Amino acid sequence: MTKFFLLLSAAAIASPAYAQDIPDPDAPEVVVTATRAAQPLSEIGQAVTVIDRAEIERRQTTVVSDLLATTPGVTVTRNGTVGALTSVRIRGAEADQTLVVIDGVRVNDPSSTGGGFNFGNLLSSSVERIEILRGPNSVPWGSQALGGVVNIITEAPTEGVQARANAEYGYADSVFASAGVSGKSGPVSGSLTGGYLRTDGISSAASGTERDGYRQYGATGRVGVEFAPGIGLDLRGYFADSRVDIDDGFDPNTFVVADSPAYSTTQELYGYAGLHANLADGRFNNRVAFTIADINRDNYSQPGGDVTFLGRGRSERYEYQGDFRPLDQVRVVAGVERENSRFNDGSTFAHTGITSVYGQLIVKPVDVLTVTGGVRNDDHDDFGSHTTFGANAALALRTGTTVRASYGEGFKAPTLYQLFSDYGNRGLDPETARNFDVGVEQAFLGNRGRVGVTYFNRRTRNQIDFRDCSPAELETADSICANRPFGVYDNVARAEADGVEFTLALRPIDALTLTANYSYIDTENRSIGDNFGNDLARRPKQTASVDADYRFAFGLSVGGTVTMVGDSFDEASNTTRLDGYALAGVRAELPIGERFAVYGRVDNLTDARYETIAGYGNYGRAAYGGVRLRLK
């Protein structure tokens, strides 16, 4: 596999900011994640990847994390079956340092230990678009955007009425169905999507034989009302109810994960209510909003058994953002926010808040150059004030060459669990990171291909980790270890990461699309202690993905994806090695008339056996088939 990685890294080179497909030169790609305001991708100096609905359907992907795993700089681990705890790491950062946004709502879980987001329950049913920003970006987004930002955008209504639906069946008695309708008439617009997934799954324990099933039903909706030109109301909602069987037992002889009858339930509710006022012919756009994220989690020992874990997390955010263009070459994006969060684990009830103000200046001194700079201040109820800076530049020459560079800072506030639990420390400081990257992109073949490379370097300080308390600390009255006999959270960890990201996007003829990416990421534990200098856990140095699709003249589309992941270690001590692996999948879709299509795919074609977390299994070869309907 190492030889293959080396060959791929020499051949597959791509841009620091790119769509997964070749963009239409007459309709430039526009993203919102870099500054929280719409910008052409060519004006952004940061690394951004875009996945749209067409690609989601072409790849026939059910679980969003499976898509993310094929993008540059991103690695994914899962505790076994579909729906189990799934973590996404960007450029080697911690999974809890990935900020996740759904339709403008920050959805990281306040009740989880590190405040992370569980991607196991995020399905593709209602997703219209995904933007993945790699690197710290706390100026517009605030806390948790140390590794990067995953921005999920659901289907927005357009003129007229559109409807779509699909249903599929496959391996492990899996049923996946979704449907959506949207439309706009005059000042009123709306959309509604729903999805359902059930599967018998696989045994999450690699050594187990009992299948761990999963079930989810969910829905998303949007309503928009324009009271007057440029002035209107926006309402968005997301709901998901999930249940997954989990293996939380351990074999007493081997101490590895074993089958158990336990299961977990999760209810997620995310909402956005906002008013916008776009004034001065669109030169002064204003938005005020209230958002809410409410997550309830429960673990049970067995059906009808006792609750073994309870988590209730809720965050409420009030925000204003202004987007002002005094000149065509100058743009100011600024805002103020207040977030209140609370959690309850059955024994500890805690809450905190943070007030933030930020501003960004976007300048185009000449037509081909865009320079962006920003600053943010966050005043936390517990740790106090923290200021963050960021800047980037994009030089898009008419020769098809684009040069990008960025410097970004990120911070992550201590979680409520880290502050107030039985192991909490009210004196914790925020985790911080500094990152710079530089890249170049070149279009060729009349913009039918693009090639480029990005280098990045990130230093993370003040990372919060759990540590033991010495006898002397336990006996010191004013020590953070006072009344903490089993240990305490402290700012003791440091980490570094640097790497190179390569990709290729090519459409030599209209019927054929090829994309590839390769990432080399070297992570290092810089915390004082026995693990100093080790690789960070579950961070493979090398990852790569190759994707190809061909459409025949009579409508049949065929394609395949190969994803390769290098070796890594399962823990900080680097004693348990996780072997690298390669996964190949093939797919096909055939339209029947203008409205219907049948499709099918085979995942893990070679039936590879692998683990992303020691002791937890993954799917072998699996086949699925379905039908798709679209009405316009």
Side-chain angles (χ1 to χ4, degrees):
M1 184 176 293
T2 301
K3 291 182 179 179
F4 185 88
F5 276 128
L6 293 174
L7 290 172
L8 187 62
S9 66
I13 303 176
S15 66
Y18 80 108
Q20 289 281 93
D21 207 343
I22 302 291
D24 182 353
D26 297 325
E29 190 81 59
V30 174
V31 299
V32 298
T33 309
T35 60
R36 295 183 69 178
Q39 273 186 289
L41 196 57
S42 60
E43 297 181 0
I44 295 170
Q46 295 158 296
V48 181
T49 297
V50 178
I51 301 173
D52 60 16
R53 184 68 199 179
E55 181 171 2
I56 294 171
E57 294 188 352
R58 176 173 59 81
R59 298 272 294 274
Q60 303 178 23
T61 306
T62 301
V63 182
V64 168
S65 60
D66 289 345
L67 274 174
L68 299 179
T70 65
T71 60
V74 177
T75 57
V76 176
T77 59
R78 186 170 67 198
N79 290 33
T81 193
V82 165
L85 178 64
T86 304
S87 301
V88 171
R89 297 175 175 87
I90 299 177
R91 287 182 169 176
E94 297 292 336
D96 294 337
Q97 295 170 347
T98 299
L99 175 64
V100 183
V101 180
I102 298 179
D103 283 341
V105 183
R106 296 164 52 102
V107 297
N108 290 56
D109 186 0
S111 71
S112 67
T113 302
F117 176 78
N118 180 10
F119 281 85
N121 295 319
L122 184 57
L123 306 183
S124 64
S125 310
S126 59
V127 178
E128 184 71 17
R129 180 182 176 89
I130 307 170
E131 296 180 5
I132 306 108
L133 184 144
R134 303 188 298 281
N137 196 37
S138 282
V139 170
W141 290 107
S143 177
Q144 292 194 289
L146 272 82
V149 181
V150 177
N151 189 8
I152 306 294
I153 302 167
T154 63
E155 185 171 6
T158 56
E159 284 292 343
V161 178
Q162 299 84 35
R164 61 175 175 84
N166 75 286
E168 69 176 50
Y169 179 82
Y171 175 78
D173 198 25
S174 298
V175 176
F176 176 54
S178 68
V181 60
S182 65
K184 182 178 181 180
S185 178
V188 179
S189 63
S191 65
L192 179 66
T193 63
Y196 174 78
L197 171 65
R198 69 152 306 278
T199 177
D200 290 344
I202 62 170
S203 173
S204 289
S207 62
T209 58
E210 173 197 44
R211 291 183 180 270
D212 293 305
Y214 177 69
R215 183 272 303 154
Q216 184 192 98
Y217 54 84
T220 66
R222 286 177 177 240
V223 174
V225 181
E226 291 289 309
F227 303 123
I231 301 176
L233 170 71
D234 299 297
L235 301 175
R236 308 165 195 162
Y238 176 105
F239 173 77
D241 185 288
S242 309
R243 182 191 189 279
V244 62
D245 297 333
I246 57 177
D247 284 338
D248 61 358
F250 289 88
D251 188 299
N253 298 315
T254 62
F255 300 102
V256 298
V257 181
D259 286 336
S260 80
Y263 70 96
S264 174
T265 63
T266 304
Q267 291 82 40
E268 301 167 85
L269 177 64
Y270 310 131
Y272 175 101
L275 293 168
H276 65 265
N278 302 332
L279 310 174
D281 295 326
R283 287 187 174 273
F284 186 26
N285 299 332
N286 300 269
R287 177 179 62 84
V288 294
F290 168 76
T291 71
I292 184 171
D294 191 270
I295 304 170
N296 296 331
R297 297 180 293 132
D298 296 278
N299 288 5
Y300 297 86
S301 60
Q302 61 186 9
D306 296 332
V307 175
T308 58
F309 169 83
L310 177 150
R312 301 288 183 268
R314 184 185 182 100
S315 61
E316 300 172 353
R317 176 175 288 255
Y318 307 85
E319 57 186 36
Y320 163 80
Q321 179 176 288
D323 183 355
F324 180 46
R325 294 177 182 261
L327 301 170
D328 290 342
Q329 298 82 11
V330 178
R331 185 177 183 184
V332 179
V333 179
V336 60
E337 302 169 344
R338 170 66 186 185
E339 180 182 83
N340 300 314
S341 57
R342 64 179 186 262
F343 98 111
N344 165 22
D345 64 1
S347 60
T348 301
F349 298 80
H351 63 87
T352 192
I354 187 167
T355 302
S356 312
V357 59
Y358 64 93
Q360 300 170 99
L361 179 65
I362 306 169
V363 179
K364 290 179 68 70
V366 294
D367 186 54
V368 297
L369 176 63
T370 305
V371 180
T372 303
V375 61
R376 179 187 186 97
N377 181 263
D378 293 271
D379 187 12
H380 194 276
D381 289 355
D382 291 282
F383 69 72
S385 179
H386 182 80
T387 301
T388 305
F389 298 92
N392 67 82
L395 178 66
L397 302 175
R398 293 181 177 86
T399 59
T401 304
T402 302
V403 180
R404 293 182 167 92
S406 73
Y407 168 80
E409 296 181 354
F411 85 99
K412 178 177 179 290
T415 67
L416 289 165
Y417 188 88
Q418 292 164 345
L419 288 168
F420 299 107
S421 72
D422 290 339
Y423 315 100
N425 175 4
R426 294 288 297 272
L428 287 171
D429 292 322
E431 301 178 348
T432 61
R434 295 181 178 181
N435 176 91
F436 72 86
D437 56 38
V438 59
V440 61
E441 172 188 351
Q442 180 64 54
F444 61 98
L445 292 181
N447 207 42
R448 284 183 172 270
R450 288 179 302 142
V451 63
V453 59
T454 303
Y455 168 79
F456 76 89
N457 178 281
R458 184 185 66 252
R459 298 290 183 265
T460 307
R461 299 292 182 266
N462 280 341
Q463 284 196 171
I464 299 170
D465 204 355
F466 183 80
R467 71 172 180 87
D468 294 329
C469 291
S470 68
E473 289 177 308
L474 291 172
E475 295 174 2
T476 303
D478 57 352
S479 166
I480 63 171
C481 287
N483 301 317
R484 297 288 188 268
F486 302 108
V488 68
Y489 284 100
D490 200 0
N491 294 105
V492 294
R494 292 186 171 199
E496 296 183 3
D498 62 351
V500 185
E501 299 162 345
F502 303 90
T503 58
L504 170 71
L506 180 64
R507 185 184 292 155
I509 58 176
D510 290 343
L512 177 63
T513 301
L514 301 168
T515 61
N517 66 75
Y518 167 82
S519 299
Y520 180 88
I521 300 175
D522 184 23
T523 63
E524 184 177 356
N525 188 331
R526 303 295 296 174
S527 306
I528 301 300
D530 294 340
N531 299 321
F532 182 86
N534 286 356
D535 291 351
L536 297 181
R538 301 168 189 167
R539 309 306 205 279
K541 279 186 167 60
Q542 301 184 84
T543 59
S545 183
V546 179
D547 192 82
D549 284 273
Y550 184 83
R551 183 180 181 89
F552 292 92
F554 62 92
L556 174 66
S557 297
V558 295
T561 300
V562 178
T563 301
M564 291 142 288
V565 178
D567 296 348
S568 62
F569 293 100
D570 189 57
E571 68 287 277
S573 61
N574 287 187
T575 54
T576 304
R577 179 178 291 275
L578 299 170
D579 291 335
Y581 56 91
L583 302 177
V586 294
R587 55 185 174 268
E589 181 169 344
L590 178 66
I592 302 174
E594 296 182 355
R595 297 180 177 178
F596 290 91
V598 293
Y599 65 89
R601 69 185 182 278
V602 180
D603 297 333
N604 195 358
L605 189 63
T606 62
D607 201 28
R609 300 300 176 186
Y610 65 101
E611 295 179 3
T612 60
I613 302 173
Y616 288 93
N618 278 285
Y619 278 69
R621 184 185 300 113
Y624 306 86
V627 60
R628 201 185 314 277
L629 167 68
R630 186 173 294 277
L631 302 175
K632 292 185 178 181

